[in-house]
Amino acid sequence: MAGVILLTAMAAGGISLWLKRRREQQKLGTFDDNAQS
């Protein structure tokens, strides 16, 4: 049970970090450069 809770927490944290990084890249205009490479 603890493993399920830990896995869920890690997944939620990872997704939130990914969304935050993606939003910052779009703001800076470097999102297209990263999509190509």
Side-chain angles (χ1 to χ4, degrees):
M1 189 66 194
V4 174
I5 295 169
L6 184 63
L7 184 68
T8 305
M10 286 177 64
I15 289 169
S16 67
L17 278 173
W18 176 73
L19 286 171
K20 183 177 168 188
R21 197 172 23 175
R22 199 168 145 228
R23 207 177 304 129
E24 287 176 0
Q25 285 177 347
Q26 284 178 335
K27 198 189 302 177
L28 293 171
T30 58
F31 188 66
D32 293 330
D33 296 337
N34 292 338
Q36 292 175 352
S37 57

PDB file of all heavy atoms in Angstrom:
ATOM      1  N   MET A   1       0.829  -1.207   0.000  1.00  0.00           N
ATOM      2  CA  MET A   1       0.000   0.000   0.000  1.00  0.00           C
ATOM      3  C   MET A   1       0.867   1.263   0.000  1.00  0.00           C
ATOM      4  O   MET A   1       0.564   2.218  -0.706  1.00  0.00           O
ATOM      5  CB  MET A   1      -0.893  -0.017   1.252  1.00  0.00           C
ATOM      6  CG  MET A   1      -1.946   1.071   1.239  1.00  0.00           C
ATOM      7  SD  MET A   1      -3.120   0.779  -0.087  1.00  0.00           S
ATOM      8  CE  MET A   1      -3.932   2.342  -0.126  1.00  0.00           C
ATOM      9  N   ALA A   2       1.937   1.234   0.790  1.00  0.00           N
ATOM     10  CA  ALA A   2       2.825   2.397   0.824  1.00  0.00           C
ATOM     11  C   ALA A   2       3.470   2.627  -0.542  1.00  0.00           C
ATOM     12  O   ALA A   2       3.701   3.768  -0.958  1.00  0.00           O
ATOM     13  CB  ALA A   2       3.901   2.207   1.882  1.00  0.00           C
ATOM     14  N   GLY A   3       3.746   1.529  -1.249  1.00  0.00           N
ATOM     15  CA  GLY A   3       4.348   1.639  -2.582  1.00  0.00           C
ATOM     16  C   GLY A   3       3.427   2.341  -3.562  1.00  0.00           C
ATOM     17  O   GLY A   3       3.868   3.128  -4.394  1.00  0.00           O
ATOM     18  N   VAL A   4       2.137   2.047  -3.468  1.00  0.00           N
ATOM     19  CA  VAL A   4       1.155   2.683  -4.356  1.00  0.00           C
ATOM     20  C   VAL A   4       1.094   4.180  -4.090  1.00  0.00           C
ATOM     21  O   VAL A   4       1.069   4.986  -5.008  1.00  0.00           O
ATOM     22  CB  VAL A   4      -0.239   2.035  -4.164  1.00  0.00           C
ATOM     23  CG1 VAL A   4      -1.298   2.780  -4.975  1.00  0.00           C
ATOM     24  CG2 VAL A   4      -0.200   0.565  -4.560  1.00  0.00           C
ATOM     25  N   ILE A   5       1.098   4.546  -2.818  1.00  0.00           N
ATOM     26  CA  ILE A   5       1.059   5.962  -2.445  1.00  0.00           C
ATOM     27  C   ILE A   5       2.325   6.673  -2.922  1.00  0.00           C
ATOM     28  O   ILE A   5       2.272   7.780  -3.479  1.00  0.00           O
ATOM     29  CB  ILE A   5       0.885   6.104  -0.917  1.00  0.00           C
ATOM     30  CG1 ILE A   5      -0.473   5.549  -0.498  1.00  0.00           C
ATOM     31  CG2 ILE A   5       1.021   7.563  -0.491  1.00  0.00           C
ATOM     32  CD1 ILE A   5      -0.627   5.409   0.994  1.00  0.00           C
ATOM     33  N   LEU A   6       3.465   6.033  -2.742  1.00  0.00           N
ATOM     34  CA  LEU A   6       4.733   6.614  -3.166  1.00  0.00           C
ATOM     35  C   LEU A   6       4.785   6.773  -4.680  1.00  0.00           C
ATOM     36  O   LEU A   6       5.209   7.814  -5.190  1.00  0.00           O
ATOM     37  CB  LEU A   6       5.887   5.726  -2.689  1.00  0.00           C
ATOM     38  CG  LEU A   6       7.299   6.247  -2.962  1.00  0.00           C
ATOM     39  CD1 LEU A   6       7.532   7.547  -2.202  1.00  0.00           C
ATOM     40  CD2 LEU A   6       8.324   5.212  -2.534  1.00  0.00           C
ATOM     41  N   LEU A   7       4.339   5.744  -5.396  1.00  0.00           N
ATOM     42  CA  LEU A   7       4.337   5.792  -6.861  1.00  0.00           C
ATOM     43  C   LEU A   7       3.439   6.916  -7.361  1.00  0.00           C
ATOM     44  O   LEU A   7       3.809   7.664  -8.276  1.00  0.00           O
ATOM     45  CB  LEU A   7       3.849   4.447  -7.409  1.00  0.00           C
ATOM     46  CG  LEU A   7       3.889   4.315  -8.933  1.00  0.00           C
ATOM     47  CD1 LEU A   7       5.341   4.295  -9.416  1.00  0.00           C
ATOM     48  CD2 LEU A   7       3.197   3.029  -9.352  1.00  0.00           C
ATOM     49  N   THR A   8       2.280   7.072  -6.747  1.00  0.00           N
ATOM     50  CA  THR A   8       1.350   8.131  -7.141  1.00  0.00           C
ATOM     51  C   THR A   8       1.946   9.512  -6.879  1.00  0.00           C
ATOM     52  O   THR A   8       1.849  10.411  -7.722  1.00  0.00           O
ATOM     53  CB  THR A   8       0.027   7.986  -6.373  1.00  0.00           C
ATOM     54  OG1 THR A   8      -0.485   6.670  -6.581  1.00  0.00           O
ATOM     55  CG2 THR A   8      -1.002   8.984  -6.851  1.00  0.00           C
ATOM     56  N   ALA A   9       2.586   9.665  -5.730  1.00  0.00           N
ATOM     57  CA  ALA A   9       3.189  10.947  -5.382  1.00  0.00           C
ATOM     58  C   ALA A   9       4.333  11.292  -6.341  1.00  0.00           C
ATOM     59  O   ALA A   9       4.465  12.440  -6.781  1.00  0.00           O
ATOM     60  CB  ALA A   9       3.702  10.912  -3.949  1.00  0.00           C
ATOM     61  N   MET A  10       5.146  10.299  -6.678  1.00  0.00           N
ATOM     62  CA  MET A  10       6.261  10.536  -7.593  1.00  0.00           C
ATOM     63  C   MET A  10       5.751  10.877  -8.994  1.00  0.00           C
ATOM     64  O   MET A  10       6.301  11.753  -9.669  1.00  0.00           O
ATOM     65  CB  MET A  10       7.173   9.308  -7.661  1.00  0.00           C
ATOM     66  CG  MET A  10       8.021   9.134  -6.424  1.00  0.00           C
ATOM     67  SD  MET A  10       9.013   7.638  -6.480  1.00  0.00           S
ATOM     68  CE  MET A  10      10.087   7.977  -7.861  1.00  0.00           C
ATOM     69  N   ALA A  11       4.700  10.190  -9.428  1.00  0.00           N
ATOM     70  CA  ALA A  11       4.130  10.459 -10.755  1.00  0.00           C
ATOM     71  C   ALA A  11       3.555  11.869 -10.808  1.00  0.00           C
ATOM     72  O   ALA A  11       3.785  12.601 -11.764  1.00  0.00           O
ATOM     73  CB  ALA A  11       3.049   9.435 -11.069  1.00  0.00           C
ATOM     74  N   ALA A  12       2.824  12.273  -9.762  1.00  0.00           N
ATOM     75  CA  ALA A  12       2.229  13.610  -9.718  1.00  0.00           C
ATOM     76  C   ALA A  12       3.324  14.681  -9.721  1.00  0.00           C
ATOM     77  O   ALA A  12       3.216  15.694 -10.413  1.00  0.00           O
ATOM     78  CB  ALA A  12       1.354  13.750  -8.485  1.00  0.00           C
ATOM     79  N   GLY A  13       4.381  14.450  -8.954  1.00  0.00           N
ATOM     80  CA  GLY A  13       5.491  15.404  -8.913  1.00  0.00           C
ATOM     81  C   GLY A  13       6.199  15.512 -10.254  1.00  0.00           C
ATOM     82  O   GLY A  13       6.540  16.598 -10.704  1.00  0.00           O
ATOM     83  N   GLY A  14       6.410  14.379 -10.904  1.00  0.00           N
ATOM     84  CA  GLY A  14       7.074  14.376 -12.205  1.00  0.00           C
ATOM     85  C   GLY A  14       6.268  15.097 -13.265  1.00  0.00           C
ATOM     86  O   GLY A  14       6.803  15.865 -14.058  1.00  0.00           O
ATOM     87  N   ILE A  15       4.965  14.863 -13.265  1.00  0.00           N
ATOM     88  CA  ILE A  15       4.097  15.513 -14.250  1.00  0.00           C
ATOM     89  C   ILE A  15       4.054  17.017 -14.022  1.00  0.00           C
ATOM     90  O   ILE A  15       4.118  17.791 -14.969  1.00  0.00           O
ATOM     91  CB  ILE A  15       2.679  14.901 -14.197  1.00  0.00           C
ATOM     92  CG1 ILE A  15       2.726  13.473 -14.764  1.00  0.00           C
ATOM     93  CG2 ILE A  15       1.683  15.741 -14.991  1.00  0.00           C
ATOM     94  CD1 ILE A  15       1.461  12.689 -14.527  1.00  0.00           C
ATOM     95  N   SER A  16       3.982  17.427 -12.764  1.00  0.00           N
ATOM     96  CA  SER A  16       3.925  18.861 -12.468  1.00  0.00           C
ATOM     97  C   SER A  16       5.238  19.556 -12.863  1.00  0.00           C
ATOM     98  O   SER A  16       5.221  20.658 -13.396  1.00  0.00           O
ATOM     99  CB  SER A  16       3.610  19.105 -10.996  1.00  0.00           C
ATOM    100  OG  SER A  16       4.673  18.666 -10.189  1.00  0.00           O
ATOM    101  N   LEU A  17       6.359  18.884 -12.631  1.00  0.00           N
ATOM    102  CA  LEU A  17       7.650  19.455 -13.035  1.00  0.00           C
ATOM    103  C   LEU A  17       7.743  19.554 -14.554  1.00  0.00           C
ATOM    104  O   LEU A  17       8.236  20.548 -15.092  1.00  0.00           O
ATOM    105  CB  LEU A  17       8.803  18.579 -12.522  1.00  0.00           C
ATOM    106  CG  LEU A  17       9.210  18.804 -11.066  1.00  0.00           C
ATOM    107  CD1 LEU A  17      10.239  17.760 -10.660  1.00  0.00           C
ATOM    108  CD2 LEU A  17       9.787  20.193 -10.889  1.00  0.00           C
ATOM    109  N   TRP A  18       7.259  18.507 -15.254  1.00  0.00           N
ATOM    110  CA  TRP A  18       7.304  18.505 -16.716  1.00  0.00           C
ATOM    111  C   TRP A  18       6.449  19.631 -17.288  1.00  0.00           C
ATOM    112  O   TRP A  18       6.869  20.346 -18.193  1.00  0.00           O
ATOM    113  CB  TRP A  18       6.819  17.141 -17.224  1.00  0.00           C
ATOM    114  CG  TRP A  18       6.725  17.064 -18.703  1.00  0.00           C
ATOM    115  CD1 TRP A  18       7.772  16.989 -19.577  1.00  0.00           C
ATOM    116  CD2 TRP A  18       5.538  17.084 -19.488  1.00  0.00           C
ATOM    117  NE1 TRP A  18       7.280  16.946 -20.857  1.00  0.00           N
ATOM    118  CE2 TRP A  18       5.922  17.001 -20.838  1.00  0.00           C
ATOM    119  CE3 TRP A  18       4.179  17.150 -19.157  1.00  0.00           C
ATOM    120  CZ2 TRP A  18       4.998  16.981 -21.875  1.00  0.00           C
ATOM    121  CZ3 TRP A  18       3.264  17.139 -20.209  1.00  0.00           C
ATOM    122  CH2 TRP A  18       3.662  17.054 -21.535  1.00  0.00           C
ATOM    123  N   LEU A  19       5.257  19.813 -16.727  1.00  0.00           N
ATOM    124  CA  LEU A  19       4.378  20.883 -17.198  1.00  0.00           C
ATOM    125  C   LEU A  19       4.988  22.250 -16.942  1.00  0.00           C
ATOM    126  O   LEU A  19       4.933  23.137 -17.792  1.00  0.00           O
ATOM    127  CB  LEU A  19       3.023  20.795 -16.488  1.00  0.00           C
ATOM    128  CG  LEU A  19       2.106  19.661 -16.955  1.00  0.00           C
ATOM    129  CD1 LEU A  19       0.904  19.558 -16.034  1.00  0.00           C
ATOM    130  CD2 LEU A  19       1.661  19.885 -18.386  1.00  0.00           C
ATOM    131  N   LYS A  20       5.619  22.417 -15.770  1.00  0.00           N
ATOM    132  CA  LYS A  20       6.241  23.693 -15.426  1.00  0.00           C
ATOM    133  C   LYS A  20       7.377  24.018 -16.394  1.00  0.00           C
ATOM    134  O   LYS A  20       7.491  25.129 -16.898  1.00  0.00           O
ATOM    135  CB  LYS A  20       6.771  23.601 -13.996  1.00  0.00           C
ATOM    136  CG  LYS A  20       7.377  24.879 -13.473  1.00  0.00           C
ATOM    137  CD  LYS A  20       7.806  24.676 -12.025  1.00  0.00           C
ATOM    138  CE  LYS A  20       8.678  25.801 -11.548  1.00  0.00           C
ATOM    139  NZ  LYS A  20       9.242  25.526 -10.241  1.00  0.00           N
ATOM    140  N   ARG A  21       8.213  23.000 -16.693  1.00  0.00           N
ATOM    141  CA  ARG A  21       9.335  23.197 -17.602  1.00  0.00           C
ATOM    142  C   ARG A  21       8.832  23.505 -19.011  1.00  0.00           C
ATOM    143  O   ARG A  21       9.377  24.360 -19.701  1.00  0.00           O
ATOM    144  CB  ARG A  21      10.177  21.914 -17.611  1.00  0.00           C
ATOM    145  CG  ARG A  21      11.561  22.099 -18.167  1.00  0.00           C
ATOM    146  CD  ARG A  21      12.373  20.827 -17.957  1.00  0.00           C
ATOM    147  NE  ARG A  21      11.459  19.699 -17.804  1.00  0.00           N
ATOM    148  CZ  ARG A  21      11.846  18.439 -17.697  1.00  0.00           C
ATOM    149  NH1 ARG A  21      13.104  18.131 -17.680  1.00  0.00           N
ATOM    150  NH2 ARG A  21      10.978  17.473 -17.576  1.00  0.00           N
ATOM    151  N   ARG A  22       7.764  22.828 -19.441  1.00  0.00           N
ATOM    152  CA  ARG A  22       7.219  23.038 -20.767  1.00  0.00           C
ATOM    153  C   ARG A  22       6.658  24.445 -20.905  1.00  0.00           C
ATOM    154  O   ARG A  22       6.827  25.109 -21.918  1.00  0.00           O
ATOM    155  CB  ARG A  22       6.097  22.012 -20.993  1.00  0.00           C
ATOM    156  CG  ARG A  22       5.757  21.826 -22.437  1.00  0.00           C
ATOM    157  CD  ARG A  22       4.863  20.615 -22.595  1.00  0.00           C
ATOM    158  NE  ARG A  22       3.939  20.898 -23.648  1.00  0.00           N
ATOM    159  CZ  ARG A  22       2.626  20.696 -23.577  1.00  0.00           C
ATOM    160  NH1 ARG A  22       2.102  20.149 -22.533  1.00  0.00           N
ATOM    161  NH2 ARG A  22       1.862  21.014 -24.575  1.00  0.00           N
ATOM    162  N   ARG A  23       5.973  24.924 -19.860  1.00  0.00           N
ATOM    163  CA  ARG A  23       5.407  26.264 -19.870  1.00  0.00           C
ATOM    164  C   ARG A  23       6.495  27.315 -19.962  1.00  0.00           C
ATOM    165  O   ARG A  23       6.379  28.296 -20.688  1.00  0.00           O
ATOM    166  CB  ARG A  23       4.583  26.459 -18.582  1.00  0.00           C
ATOM    167  CG  ARG A  23       3.475  27.464 -18.751  1.00  0.00           C
ATOM    168  CD  ARG A  23       2.633  27.572 -17.480  1.00  0.00           C
ATOM    169  NE  ARG A  23       2.097  26.294 -17.055  1.00  0.00           N
ATOM    170  CZ  ARG A  23       2.210  25.802 -15.815  1.00  0.00           C
ATOM    171  NH1 ARG A  23       2.822  26.479 -14.875  1.00  0.00           N
ATOM    172  NH2 ARG A  23       1.695  24.640 -15.515  1.00  0.00           N
ATOM    173  N   GLU A  24       7.600  27.112 -19.234  1.00  0.00           N
ATOM    174  CA  GLU A  24       8.709  28.074 -19.263  1.00  0.00           C
ATOM    175  C   GLU A  24       9.373  28.085 -20.633  1.00  0.00           C
ATOM    176  O   GLU A  24       9.757  29.140 -21.137  1.00  0.00           O
ATOM    177  CB  GLU A  24       9.734  27.716 -18.191  1.00  0.00           C
ATOM    178  CG  GLU A  24       9.237  28.031 -16.784  1.00  0.00           C
ATOM    179  CD  GLU A  24      10.214  27.576 -15.716  1.00  0.00           C
ATOM    180  OE1 GLU A  24      11.262  27.031 -16.082  1.00  0.00           O
ATOM    181  OE2 GLU A  24       9.913  27.768 -14.533  1.00  0.00           O
ATOM    182  N   GLN A  25       9.496  26.921 -21.261  1.00  0.00           N
ATOM    183  CA  GLN A  25      10.113  26.853 -22.583  1.00  0.00           C
ATOM    184  C   GLN A  25       9.255  27.559 -23.619  1.00  0.00           C
ATOM    185  O   GLN A  25       9.775  28.263 -24.487  1.00  0.00           O
ATOM    186  CB  GLN A  25      10.313  25.389 -22.988  1.00  0.00           C
ATOM    187  CG  GLN A  25      11.469  24.745 -22.244  1.00  0.00           C
ATOM    188  CD  GLN A  25      11.610  23.273 -22.599  1.00  0.00           C
ATOM    189  OE1 GLN A  25      10.715  22.689 -23.207  1.00  0.00           O
ATOM    190  NE2 GLN A  25      12.709  22.675 -22.216  1.00  0.00           N
ATOM    191  N   GLN A  26       7.943  27.408 -23.534  1.00  0.00           N
ATOM    192  CA  GLN A  26       7.062  28.086 -24.476  1.00  0.00           C
ATOM    193  C   GLN A  26       7.144  29.596 -24.295  1.00  0.00           C
ATOM    194  O   GLN A  26       7.120  30.351 -25.260  1.00  0.00           O
ATOM    195  CB  GLN A  26       5.614  27.625 -24.270  1.00  0.00           C
ATOM    196  CG  GLN A  26       5.372  26.251 -24.841  1.00  0.00           C
ATOM    197  CD  GLN A  26       3.951  25.780 -24.605  1.00  0.00           C
ATOM    198  OE1 GLN A  26       3.298  26.221 -23.669  1.00  0.00           O
ATOM    199  NE2 GLN A  26       3.484  24.873 -25.426  1.00  0.00           N
ATOM    200  N   LYS A  27       7.294  30.040 -23.048  1.00  0.00           N
ATOM    201  CA  LYS A  27       7.389  31.465 -22.751  1.00  0.00           C
ATOM    202  C   LYS A  27       8.670  32.047 -23.339  1.00  0.00           C
ATOM    203  O   LYS A  27       8.697  33.145 -23.857  1.00  0.00           O
ATOM    204  CB  LYS A  27       7.374  31.652 -21.226  1.00  0.00           C
ATOM    205  CG  LYS A  27       7.035  33.069 -20.799  1.00  0.00           C
ATOM    206  CD  LYS A  27       7.237  33.274 -19.317  1.00  0.00           C
ATOM    207  CE  LYS A  27       6.402  32.319 -18.485  1.00  0.00           C
ATOM    208  NZ  LYS A  27       6.640  32.463 -17.050  1.00  0.00           N
ATOM    209  N   LEU A  28       9.762  31.261 -23.267  1.00  0.00           N
ATOM    210  CA  LEU A  28      11.047  31.725 -23.772  1.00  0.00           C
ATOM    211  C   LEU A  28      11.172  31.573 -25.287  1.00  0.00           C
ATOM    212  O   LEU A  28      12.062  32.132 -25.895  1.00  0.00           O
ATOM    213  CB  LEU A  28      12.187  30.936 -23.104  1.00  0.00           C
ATOM    214  CG  LEU A  28      12.349  31.189 -21.595  1.00  0.00           C
ATOM    215  CD1 LEU A  28      13.353  30.201 -21.022  1.00  0.00           C
ATOM    216  CD2 LEU A  28      12.814  32.607 -21.333  1.00  0.00           C
ATOM    217  N   GLY A  29      10.290  30.780 -25.883  1.00  0.00           N
ATOM    218  CA  GLY A  29      10.332  30.589 -27.334  1.00  0.00           C
ATOM    219  C   GLY A  29      11.335  29.531 -27.752  1.00  0.00           C
ATOM    220  O   GLY A  29      11.677  29.435 -28.925  1.00  0.00           O
ATOM    221  N   THR A  30      11.823  28.695 -26.827  1.00  0.00           N
ATOM    222  CA  THR A  30      12.795  27.657 -27.173  1.00  0.00           C
ATOM    223  C   THR A  30      12.121  26.303 -27.334  1.00  0.00           C
ATOM    224  O   THR A  30      12.776  25.296 -27.504  1.00  0.00           O
ATOM    225  CB  THR A  30      13.874  27.552 -26.092  1.00  0.00           C
ATOM    226  OG1 THR A  30      13.244  27.262 -24.849  1.00  0.00           O
ATOM    227  CG2 THR A  30      14.664  28.827 -25.971  1.00  0.00           C
ATOM    228  N   PHE A  31      10.794  26.285 -27.295  1.00  0.00           N
ATOM    229  CA  PHE A  31      10.063  25.009 -27.358  1.00  0.00           C
ATOM    230  C   PHE A  31      10.262  24.345 -28.734  1.00  0.00           C
ATOM    231  O   PHE A  31      10.432  23.148 -28.829  1.00  0.00           O
ATOM    232  CB  PHE A  31       8.579  25.257 -27.096  1.00  0.00           C
ATOM    233  CG  PHE A  31       7.797  23.984 -26.944  1.00  0.00           C
ATOM    234  CD1 PHE A  31       8.018  23.142 -25.868  1.00  0.00           C
ATOM    235  CD2 PHE A  31       6.843  23.630 -27.879  1.00  0.00           C
ATOM    236  CE1 PHE A  31       7.292  21.965 -25.735  1.00  0.00           C
ATOM    237  CE2 PHE A  31       6.121  22.455 -27.747  1.00  0.00           C
ATOM    238  CZ  PHE A  31       6.352  21.624 -26.661  1.00  0.00           C
ATOM    239  N   ASP A  32      10.276  25.148 -29.802  1.00  0.00           N
ATOM    240  CA  ASP A  32      10.442  24.589 -31.144  1.00  0.00           C
ATOM    241  C   ASP A  32      11.823  23.982 -31.328  1.00  0.00           C
ATOM    242  O   ASP A  32      11.973  22.966 -31.990  1.00  0.00           O
ATOM    243  CB  ASP A  32      10.228  25.688 -32.203  1.00  0.00           C
ATOM    244  CG  ASP A  32       8.769  26.160 -32.212  1.00  0.00           C
ATOM    245  OD1 ASP A  32       7.892  25.335 -31.890  1.00  0.00           O
ATOM    246  OD2 ASP A  32       8.527  27.324 -32.535  1.00  0.00           O
ATOM    247  N   ASP A  33      12.843  24.607 -30.758  1.00  0.00           N
ATOM    248  CA  ASP A  33      14.198  24.084 -30.878  1.00  0.00           C
ATOM    249  C   ASP A  33      14.322  22.711 -30.222  1.00  0.00           C
ATOM    250  O   ASP A  33      14.963  21.819 -30.736  1.00  0.00           O
ATOM    251  CB  ASP A  33      15.193  25.036 -30.209  1.00  0.00           C
ATOM    252  CG  ASP A  33      15.236  26.378 -30.919  1.00  0.00           C
ATOM    253  OD1 ASP A  33      14.865  26.413 -32.123  1.00  0.00           O
ATOM    254  OD2 ASP A  33      15.623  27.368 -30.293  1.00  0.00           O
ATOM    255  N   ASN A  34      13.691  22.541 -29.060  1.00  0.00           N
ATOM    256  CA  ASN A  34      13.764  21.268 -28.350  1.00  0.00           C
ATOM    257  C   ASN A  34      12.935  20.190 -29.030  1.00  0.00           C
ATOM    258  O   ASN A  34      13.246  19.022 -28.930  1.00  0.00           O
ATOM    259  CB  ASN A  34      13.302  21.446 -26.901  1.00  0.00           C
ATOM    260  CG  ASN A  34      14.270  22.291 -26.116  1.00  0.00           C
ATOM    261  OD1 ASN A  34      15.431  22.405 -26.480  1.00  0.00           O
ATOM    262  ND2 ASN A  34      13.804  22.885 -25.032  1.00  0.00           N
ATOM    263  N   ALA A  35      11.887  20.569 -29.737  1.00  0.00           N
ATOM    264  CA  ALA A  35      11.029  19.591 -30.413  1.00  0.00           C
ATOM    265  C   ALA A  35      11.780  18.959 -31.594  1.00  0.00           C
ATOM    266  O   ALA A  35      11.559  17.801 -31.918  1.00  0.00           O
ATOM    267  CB  ALA A  35       9.756  20.257 -30.885  1.00  0.00           C
ATOM    268  N   GLN A  36      12.656  19.714 -32.230  1.00  0.00           N
ATOM    269  CA  GLN A  36      13.386  19.200 -33.379  1.00  0.00           C
ATOM    270  C   GLN A  36      14.511  18.259 -32.987  1.00  0.00           C
ATOM    271  O   GLN A  36      14.772  17.276 -33.647  1.00  0.00           O
ATOM    272  CB  GLN A  36      13.975  20.353 -34.188  1.00  0.00           C
ATOM    273  CG  GLN A  36      12.899  21.203 -34.873  1.00  0.00           C
ATOM    274  CD  GLN A  36      13.491  22.407 -35.569  1.00  0.00           C
ATOM    275  OE1 GLN A  36      14.672  22.678 -35.409  1.00  0.00           O
ATOM    276  NE2 GLN A  36      12.669  23.145 -36.286  1.00  0.00           N
ATOM    277  N   SER A  37      15.177  18.521 -31.884  1.00  0.00           N
ATOM    278  CA  SER A  37      16.328  17.714 -31.503  1.00  0.00           C
ATOM    279  C   SER A  37      15.951  16.486 -30.703  1.00  0.00           C
ATOM    280  O   SER A  37      14.867  16.348 -30.223  1.00  0.00           O
ATOM    281  CB  SER A  37      17.292  18.547 -30.663  1.00  0.00           C
ATOM    282  OG  SER A  37      16.655  19.060 -29.536  1.00  0.00           O
TER     283      SER A  37
END
